[in-house]
Each structure stands twice: as C-alpha cells, then as structure tokens.
Amino acid sequence: MVTPSEQRLWVIKVVAAGGVFLALPVLLPVLLLISPLLPLAALFWLAYSKIRAACNGIQPLDSALSSEQRQPQQQIVSDSTSGKEKRAANSSGQASSEPDKASARAHKTAESVSKITDANGKDAGAAPQQPDKIASAPQQQPTVQATGSAALLARIRQQRSASSKGSSAAAAPAVNGAAPKQAQEVVVAYASQTGTAQEIARNIQAESSKHGIQSKVLSFNELGMESLMNPKKQVVVMVVSSTGEGDPPDNSARFYGHSKRRSLSQDALKHINFTCLGLGDSNYTRYMGVPRAFKGRFGELGAKMFYPHLEADEVDGLEEFVDKWIAGLWAPLKATALGISQSEASADAASAEAAIHGNAALSQAAGSASSPPDLAVANGQTPPSANVLTQKAQEAIPKGQTLPTGPGSAPLQGVPALPECRVKLVVEEDACKASQVRQAESQHPFKAEAEYRDSEGMYSPEQPFWAVVSEARALTSTDSDRQVLHVEFDIEGSGMQYQPGDSVGVLPHNSPHLVQGLLQHLGQSGGPVFSIASSNGDDTKLLQHLGWPCTLEHALMCGCDLTSIPRKSLLRLLGEHCSSQADKQRLLHLSSIGGRQDYNTDIKAAQPSLLDLFHQFPSCQPPLAALLDCLPPLAPRMYSVSCSPLGRPHAVQVAFSVVNHATPAGVRHGVATNWLQQLCKPVIDGRVTAAEARIRLPLYLRQGGSFGPPSKADSGLPDLAAPMVMIGPGTGVAPFRGFLQQRQHQIADHKGEAAPARLYFGCRQAHEDFLYEEDLKGFESDGVLTKLRVAFSRAQSSKVYVQDLLRQDAQDVYELLQHPSVHVYVCGDGASMAKDVHAVLISILESMGSLSTSDATAFLAAMTKQQRYVRDIWS
C-alpha cells in the first residue's frame, strides 16, 4: 500500500522532470553562449584562492609579536574592560590557540630578527614597545609583504617542531644547562636618598637573571619589616646609604623605625640570609651610621650573613670597590638561594661571567642596537638586516672582543643589563573618581592635607605639615648675579619642636615648562588618572612617591626627579626604546663600561635633564611604566634652620641660594630654589604682603643630631663653658645664626660668663652678599660672639677664603683646639671648602703643636668620634 508521503514524493519527481524537459529549449542556447568564458572564470577563482591564502597566512604576523617574544615593559589596563578590549583579548586568545598561526608567527619572527638574547633573556632584536597612551587607542602595525603563501606554509610546517624546541631552549637558563629550583626568595633592598644606592641595587637585580637567579628589587619601605618576618626563607642583598647627620634615607625611614622595636624577638629574622653593601662619605661625622645600624640590627634579630659586607667610601671612589664586591657576590648568592654547593655555584658564576663579558654581552649589544623592524617600516626606512647576527656569526666572535653595532659605529663594551619593569599602570575609568582626583590636585593642599596634625609633631615626606610663608625677603643686593633668600614658615599649632642645627625638609615641584615638554615628547596628555600595580601580580605597593591615584602631569610634577644627572640604568632603558640606530648606539655606549669617559663628559659634566636627553635623542620613546619605574623620586630639599626656638617658638627660618649654574650644555636651574623663588616673588618684590599671599608649602623637620650648640653630656643642658669655632661661608652661616641666637638667650638667662666663640664667614663683597650682616655684627658687639672674621673673596686683587683666615689665626685656633671641650663646626660646600678647612686644621696642628701629619689626623678623628668636630656639608 502506497503511503501519502510516497505519493507526494512521486508527484514532486514528475513535476521536476516535466520542468526540466520544458526548460531545455531555453537553457541549451544560454549554456552554449557562456561555455567559452568558463576557463577564464576558473583562472580568476584560482588567483583569488591564492591571494586569500597568502593573506590568511601573514595576518598573525601583522598583529604583533607574542608577549614572550616582545619585551613586556608596559601594560596599561582598566578596572572594567570595555567591549572593544574584551573582543581584542578574545581575538588574541584565539590566535594563540591555532598552532599553524602560532608557528607562523614564531618562524617569521626568527627570520625578521636575530636569535641574540639581551640581558633579560628576551629578544634583543625585537622592536621596543611604542610609548603607552593612557587614553589608549589600538596600535597600528606595519604591513609585512608576503612572498607567496605556498612557500610560507611549507616553511611553517617544516619549522613547527624546530620552533617549539627553540622556544624551550630560549626559556632555559643559559649557564650550565637547566638551573635547579630556587630554594630561597632573593630581594635586593636599598636605602637611598640621592639615587646612588638605588642605581646599584637595580643593577644587581638586573644582572642576577644572567646568573640564573630570580630576584626583585625594592626600597626598604616597599619591602616592609612584616614581609621579612614571614617564616619563608629569604636572601636579602642590602645596599644602604645615610643622609643628613647619619639619618636613614626617606625611602627606608619607616622600615628603620619598625626594625628598632623592642618587641621584636631575637630570632625574628632567623630564616634570613643577608649581606650588606654600605655607601658613605668619610667627610661626614656619622660615617656609615645607617649601614652599620641595618647590618647590626639584622644580626641581633637572628639573620645570618652569607657574604662579607663592604663599606665603600665615596672619598676613595665607589665604582672600583663596588664592582669587585658585586663580582664576588654571585657564587655565594647562588649557593645560598639555590641550595647548591659553593664549588658548583662558583663554577656557574665563572661561566656566567664569561658569557656576560664575552659573547653574550656583545651579542646583546648588537641585537639591541638594530633598528626595530616595525618602527623602521613605519618611518619609511628599510629594516637594517645587515646588523642582524646569525647564530653562527655570534658563536664565531672570540671572547673578550668588542662588536660594532652598525657600519662605522664605535664598538660597545660592557652594556649593562636592562632594568626590569616592576609596575603596570591601571587607568581609572570611573569618571567621577577621576574627576575627584583632578580636583584634589588642583586645590593642593585640599582640606584634609591642610588640617592634618600629628599629635607628637612628627611629620614626614609622606605626611608633611602645610605651613604658611610668613616672611620672604632677599639677603643679597639687587645688583648681585646671585640671590639668597630668607624665608620664614609659620608652624604654630603643628606641634613641631626644633633646635638650632635641625633642618627643614621642603617638598618641591618640577618646572611646569619641563613637565609640559616631556608630555609633548611622549605624546601624552597629563589628564588621565591612573594607579600603580605590581607587574607580577602581588600586592606590593610600589612607586608610592608618585602619590597615586594621580594624573600623569601630577606624577611628573611632584613625584619624579627629572633634572638630576641621569643614571646609567636610565640611559640603558632609553637606549632600548630608540627607533634610530644612531640614538640607540649612543645611549647604549654612554651606559656601558666602555663609555665611562664619555659619560663623565657628556652626562656628569653637562648635567642634561630628561627633556634634554629627549631633545638630543628624539627617536627615544620609552614605555610610561618603565620610565616612571626607572626615574628616581623627587627628593625633599633640606635647609638648615637659621633661628632659635627661644626667640621664634612658632616659626622656623631658612636661608638658601637660588641655584642657577653654568654647565658645558647650558645653564641649569635648581628645582626647589627656583620654585620657591617664583612662589615668593610677589612678597619679595613688595607687591603683596605674606599674609595676603597666603603661600602654603609642605614641610617637615629633621633633627641635626650632634650638629648643634654644645651641651653637657650628663644633663643635656647647654654648655656655655665650651668654646666654639664656627666656619660657614655663604649660606653655611645660616645655622650659626640660630646657634648664636640660642646662646644669646642662654647667656641672658644664666647671667654667667661664656667661653669664647669665633665665627669665620665668607662672601664676595660687603655690599653684595654679607648675609645677616646686622645680626652677626650685633652678636659681636653684645659679646655673644667673641670674634667675627669675614673673608671677602673679591674685595681685593687676590681672593681670600675662610681657610686663609684660619691660617692667619693659627695661634688662636690652636689654643682653642687644645681646650678639652672645644667644639668645631663646619657648614657649607663639601666638595672643596670643607676639605680645604680640614687640611688647614691639620697644618695648624702640625706647625703650632709639632704633630706629625698622622698624629694631627688622628687628633681630629678623635674629636670627630667625641662629636666635637662636626660637619654639615653638601656637594
């Protein structure tokens, strides 16, 4: 029996057959007409297929290098990912999951750049990242021309397994094969005020990866005492300096305070292995005070020293001694961190040193000096394939030889490792929160800052007191080419209590012109708000000196040192991100061991700012995160208190020279002094009163320690029976004004006779820069000052300085030096004046006391140890 569905099927077949039969008379002529065109259509289809295959094959290379091949210096992320960002992320994920496309990327990269690895183990020939855009748009990539999809796909299939093996080999340690698992975490911690200790610490961390040691670099405040007390085993390499009168640097003060707590147990750090590199200047009274305190406290808390410490004296030169200490560090560090034998670690260290200073360093330099392919194409240039070394050519270079980085270029010797970027920038996408941050920055100080009070009057760079300027005037004549300003700060209600010899720390701002120039070069607007996150995903709070969340303009204005002499680590970073081979070559050379002489002349002597470097090397476009991480913090400027609390209990006064000095590259302007001058200029010129101007500045106090008027050891009361010799040319006289004000009040209160007090002051001419002339002459006429001696260097044909007056008064000075409680104070320039004064004091002891040079030196050393020969000097 036929079902209904079968009946319908037969009806459809009959109708279809009838339709075809009826259509044949119409279709046959049409088919006969177009049949000659069919071969041509087939050719078009074949061509289209080949073009489509070629485009599909090259597309992954057009997008970018993978994150492993491209150096991950910067990452800007959002709190909430937009749809566009999510689609981009998904697209990236799909691409990486397709093996053929991934192999194509790997092989094309192998053809485009050298197999040479840089100091971080990454592809030195890979293009540096374009400068980050906080308000970012998708970056365009250069178009790479294909030579034929069939050939490309064939090469991809042939190289697939080889590329996979090559990737594994690249990830493996370069020294003695695969390294054992690291048994202890390694931290390079620094306490640095001027940036020297930070620079050395960052170099140690960067070099450690070459030795197969994973490490991180942190300031002591970033590290935190709590993290060290975690029971996990750690190795700490400390690089420590002092500041002021033996005080801990600002980026270690909090850690230093925590480590001194008596509540800490004697085995709190028993799981820590450490060593210490101390940096100091023996011209200072408390030489190596902080390095010795750190080293001693670690030992008291049970930590064990795995490598002998070093105290490097800047007077003898740091570089040679530090380099030798670091060279000897690697074997014991590797043995301790990896838990291997000392002999094995020594062999590994020797192999690593040979690689670093032999082929590897040379190859790295050559690879990094090549212009990046994507930037070269973008600039309409041909990628410099002539500068790309093959593996065989690399192996053929004898150890110890240098390698030129381009035709006619100078060879590079000892290029340092590239500093690791520790941070990423996180953009604030909440418009309301971002607006609040911008508003707070525009209203500095905002209400909470202005009203902040510490119950004990202890303020810091992180939490300063916002004081009102109550007086500002010039101490020099208007016709002088130098300007010295006297500024008074109202500290009433702050709780701060100061003594003569203390210093005021002022938090300065960079020049707006300088900041705008940097933003323009980097192609950034200063408005977007961002925060800082650790690039490795942990919760370490990094770069807190930027005051984030903040705008980029605020970070550059208030947080970063943009004008100090550029460190080699900064030059190395900048060199890594130049699209011009000439720029890259020069910056790498200046950062290298072989470029030491050029660094001294072009960088140390010329003192270029960061903007100057960008003008000199215009192709340099470093990633923002790496740049912010590499720039040192903008340090507070310390000014000696020039008054006594017995006369001005609710105010502190300072005196400072407005710094403008000539260098071979032009005039350099002091950051803080020029900033203060511009703020106070309406008051100085008399256009407004200080009360009308209402200028507020962030400041804090730092104690002077032993740099203060004599006091009795048993009671701490003032010792008027102790003679004083004060030597302070220029603004070095400022603290002695405070000493003498204090002495004046004490003499009036005690009604007793005071011991002799002599002041040696120096300036150019009496009518030009005799600072505090009326006050000083008044002290002498009142008997507070026994003798005022002034050296006018330009009042006669031959120059006269304070050391010349000391030599003239040799007999009187010698008699004072023989007094058992005499105090000698020196304040001012440490580069020449303090050394010359020290030499004259030794010569006086030799000539008047018949002492040998060694005995005279020992005499002053004993006075220093007894805190009776105290110097507050600066370079």
Side-chain angles (χ1 to χ4, degrees):
M1 182 177 179
V2 180
T3 63
S5 60
E6 292 175 335
Q7 291 177 353
R8 286 194 295 274
L9 181 61
W10 278 106
V11 171
I12 292 170
K13 289 180 178 181
V14 171
V15 171
V20 172
F21 179 77
L22 293 174
L24 280 176
V26 179
L27 293 174
L28 283 175
V30 173
L31 291 174
L32 291 174
L33 183 64
I34 66 172
S35 59
L37 301 177
L38 291 178
L40 184 61
L43 289 175
F44 273 113
W45 177 255
L46 180 61
Y48 168 74
S49 299
K50 289 190 174 185
I51 292 172
R52 182 178 179 184
C55 291
N56 288 340
I58 208 68
Q59 179 61 31
L61 291 172
D62 244 352
S63 60
L65 295 174
S66 68
S67 60
E68 290 80 12
Q69 295 160 332
R70 194 181 280 273
Q71 182 175 321
Q73 285 282 13
Q74 170 109 356
Q75 179 182 1
I76 297 183
V77 298
S78 302
D79 290 334
S80 57
T81 308
S82 66
K84 183 183 293 185
E85 290 168 329
K86 289 178 180 177
R87 288 194 298 273
N90 291 339
S91 174
S92 175
Q94 291 167 2
S96 63
S97 66
E98 299 177 35
D100 282 350
K101 293 181 180 180
S103 300
R105 283 198 302 275
H107 181 68
K108 188 65 179 179
T109 302
E111 290 188 334
S112 301
V113 296
S114 168
K115 291 290 188 180
I116 303 168
T117 57
D118 69 1
N120 283 354
K122 298 182 179 67
D123 190 6
Q129 290 179 322
Q130 295 283 3
D132 304 305
K133 305 295 180 183
I134 291 185
S136 57
Q139 295 186 1
Q140 295 181 352
Q141 301 294 330
T143 302
V144 182
Q145 299 298 325
T147 58
S149 62
L152 176 63
L153 291 173
R155 288 198 300 271
I156 291 170
R157 293 189 179 100
Q158 291 171 1
Q159 296 293 331
R160 184 178 299 167
S161 59
S163 297
S164 176
K165 292 178 182 178
S167 299
S168 300
V175 182
N176 287 0
K181 183 179 178 180
Q182 192 159 309
Q184 300 187 36
E185 182 183 47
V186 176
V187 179
V188 185
Y190 59 86
S192 179
Q193 189 71 20
T194 63
T196 302
Q198 178 182 356
E199 172 81 355
I200 293 171
R202 296 202 67 167
N203 287 340
I204 291 174
Q205 190 276 331
E207 291 285 341
S208 68
S209 62
K210 295 179 178 179
H211 292 267
I213 302 169
Q214 298 302 312
S215 63
K216 58 184 179 181
V217 58
L218 301 167
S219 72
F220 274 98
N221 281 355
E222 291 170 340
L223 174 61
M225 190 66 187
E226 296 80 4
S227 67
L228 286 183
M229 293 175 65
N230 187 312
K232 65 181 179 182
K233 291 186 175 181
Q234 296 182 73
V235 181
V236 180
V237 179
M238 300 191 291
V239 186
V240 184
S241 64
S242 301
T243 186
E245 184 63 20
D247 299 313
D250 294 328
N251 57 21
S252 64
R254 186 170 63 249
F255 179 95
Y256 184 77
H258 290 177
S259 71
K260 290 293 185 180
R261 290 175 179 171
R262 296 182 179 179
S263 59
L264 296 176
S265 65
Q266 293 184 351
D267 61 351
L269 300 182
K270 65 180 181 180
H271 52 283
I272 300 293
N273 290 287
F274 79 100
T275 187
C276 181
L277 170 60
L279 308 178
D281 186 333
S282 56
N283 283 316
Y284 286 84
T285 304
R286 291 193 59 200
Y287 171 64
M288 290 291 166
V290 176
R292 291 170 184 172
F294 269 76
K295 178 172 65 70
R297 188 55 175 159
F298 266 60
E300 291 171 359
L301 297 177
K304 297 172 288 294
M305 186 175 290
F306 74 91
Y307 178 60
H309 74 281
L310 173 69
E311 294 184 346
D313 188 351
E314 193 168 345
V315 172
D316 299 325
L318 295 178
E319 197 164 6
E320 179 182 356
F321 297 98
V322 170
D323 287 349
K324 289 180 179 179
W325 185 85
I326 293 175
L329 168 68
W330 301 118
L333 177 59
K334 191 164 190 177
T336 305
L338 273 60
I340 59 179
S341 67
Q342 184 70 35
S343 59
E344 184 180 355
S346 298
D348 286 352
S351 299
E353 286 296 321
I356 292 168
H357 298 295
N359 294 347
L362 300 176
S363 302
Q364 169 268 322
S368 62
S370 301
S371 296
D374 59 341
L375 291 177
V377 173
N379 293 333
Q381 302 171 357
T382 303
S385 56
N387 292 324
V388 178
L389 280 168
T390 63
Q391 184 68 29
K392 289 183 178 179
Q394 175 187 342
E395 294 171 352
I397 301 171
K399 290 185 179 180
Q401 289 191 11
T402 57
L403 178 71
T405 59
S409 62
L412 295 174
Q413 296 178 331
V415 176
L418 182 67
E420 177 183 312
C421 181
R422 306 175 300 159
V423 301
K424 57 186 177 183
L425 310 186
V426 183
V427 176
E428 178 57 72
E429 291 194 333
D430 187 314
C432 182
K433 292 181 180 179
S435 177
Q436 290 174 352
V437 170
R438 294 189 194 97
Q439 185 177 10
E441 291 179 358
S442 67
Q443 295 177 352
H444 251 346
F446 51 84
K447 186 177 180 181
E449 288 179 322
E451 295 180 352
Y452 173 72
R453 299 292 183 272
D454 184 88
S455 59
E456 299 180 357
M458 302 295 291
Y459 298 90
S460 67
E462 294 77 25
Q463 290 185 303
F465 173 72
W466 284 80
V468 175
V469 174
S470 52
E471 183 187 6
R473 58 187 171 90
L475 296 177
T476 47
S477 64
T478 55
D479 59 347
S480 175
D481 61 351
R482 294 183 180 180
Q483 188 175 36
V484 178
L485 301 181
H486 166 91
V487 178
E488 179 181 88
F489 303 103
D490 184 354
I491 59 170
E492 186 171 6
S494 68
M496 288 193 288
Q497 296 181 351
Y498 70 94
Q499 295 296 325
D502 290 350
S503 299
V504 173
V506 179
L507 309 180
H509 289 186
N510 284 307
S511 161
H513 173 76
L514 176 62
V515 171
Q516 291 304 316
L518 289 173
L519 290 172
Q520 183 177 0
H521 175 84
L522 295 170
Q524 300 285 350
S525 76
V529 175
F530 69 93
S531 296
I532 296 293
S534 173
S535 58
N536 63 13
D538 62 28
D539 58 356
T540 305
K541 301 296 184 184
L542 300 173
L543 307 190
Q544 295 188 67
H545 59 274
L546 299 182
W548 53 267
C550 63
T551 62
L552 180 58
E553 182 177 21
H554 176 83
L556 293 175
M557 187 81 73
C558 306
C560 298
D561 186 343
L562 309 176
T563 60
S564 64
I565 297 174
R567 305 282 179 175
K568 289 188 176 183
S569 59
L570 176 61
L571 301 178
R572 176 65 179 87
L573 172 70
L574 298 183
E576 189 71 14
H577 298 283
C578 291
S579 57
S580 162
Q581 183 182 349
D583 289 353
K584 181 186 290 286
Q585 158 80 10
R586 185 60 181 171
L587 284 166
L588 290 177
H589 170 69
L590 289 172
S591 72
S592 69
I593 295 175
R596 185 175 298 169
Q597 184 58 46
D598 287 340
Y599 177 83
N600 289 336
T601 55
D602 294 2
I603 304 298
K604 276 191 174 181
Q607 301 176 25
S609 68
L610 179 61
L611 185 58
D612 292 331
L613 288 177
F614 283 149
H615 287 162
Q616 187 175 356
F617 304 100
S619 74
C620 181
Q621 290 286 343
L624 278 179
L627 181 62
L628 292 175
D629 192 28
C630 196
L631 288 173
L634 182 58
R637 284 358 188 222
M638 308 305 299
Y639 302 105
S640 298
V641 172
S642 64
C643 59
S644 164
L646 299 181
R648 305 289 292 175
H650 303 304
V652 289
Q653 299 173 340
V654 300
F656 57 86
S657 297
V658 179
V659 178
N660 298 290
H661 63 279
T663 72
V667 178
R668 295 290 173 256
H669 306 287
V671 173
T673 57
N674 281 272
W675 173 67
L676 288 169
Q677 182 204 37
Q678 289 301 312
L679 286 176
C680 299
K681 187 173 177 56
V683 179
I684 297 168
D685 294 345
R687 286 177 280 162
V688 297
T689 65
E692 292 170 337
R694 195 70 181 171
I695 303 167
R696 304 193 76 156
L697 298 174
L699 54 82
Y700 65 101
L701 283 175
R702 175 176 287 163
Q703 294 182 345
S706 59
F707 189 80
S711 59
K712 296 178 180 178
D714 54 349
S715 63
L717 295 174
D719 187 1
L720 295 176
M724 288 197 298
V725 178
M726 296 164 284
I727 306 159
T731 55
V733 77
F736 300 136
R737 177 176 179 260
F739 282 29
L740 294 171
Q741 283 184 0
Q742 187 95 336
R743 181 181 175 89
Q744 186 176 46
H745 284 278
Q746 291 169 347
I747 291 174
D749 292 341
H750 290 82
K751 307 296 182 182
E753 185 176 349
R758 300 174 71 95
L759 173 62
Y760 290 85
F761 170 65
C763 62
R764 289 180 171 181
Q765 301 188 73
H767 71 276
E768 180 182 349
D769 56 349
F770 194 155
L771 308 182
Y772 296 119
E773 178 180 6
E774 184 178 344
D775 293 335
L776 299 181
K777 288 182 175 179
F779 293 138
E780 186 178 32
S781 63
D782 292 343
V784 176
L785 191 59
T786 309
K787 191 68 175 178
L788 172 63
R789 294 279 277 148
V790 183
F792 298 109
S793 62
R794 301 190 181 183
Q796 57 283 315
S797 57
S798 59
K799 293 184 178 181
V800 177
Y801 299 108
V802 289
Q803 56 266 32
D804 299 315
L805 298 186
L806 287 168
R807 193 178 289 109
Q808 292 175 16
D809 299 344
Q811 182 64 46
D812 294 336
V813 172
Y814 177 74
E815 290 177 0
L816 287 173
L817 289 176
Q818 297 308 299
H819 196 288
S821 59
V822 67
H823 282 64
V824 178
Y825 303 93
V826 181
C827 183
D829 169 38
S832 57
M833 182 276 296
K835 294 177 181 178
D836 291 341
V837 166
H838 186 79
V840 168
L841 292 176
I842 288 178
S843 70
I844 290 174
L845 290 169
E846 290 174 340
S847 61
M848 306 304 297
S850 301
L851 297 180
S852 66
T853 301
S854 60
D855 288 342
T857 302
F859 183 91
L860 292 181
M863 286 185 63
T864 300
K865 189 174 182 179
Q866 297 164 7
Q867 299 185 354
R868 294 190 298 113
Y869 177 33
V870 188
R871 292 178 287 182
D872 182 10
I873 56 179
W874 55 84
S875 298

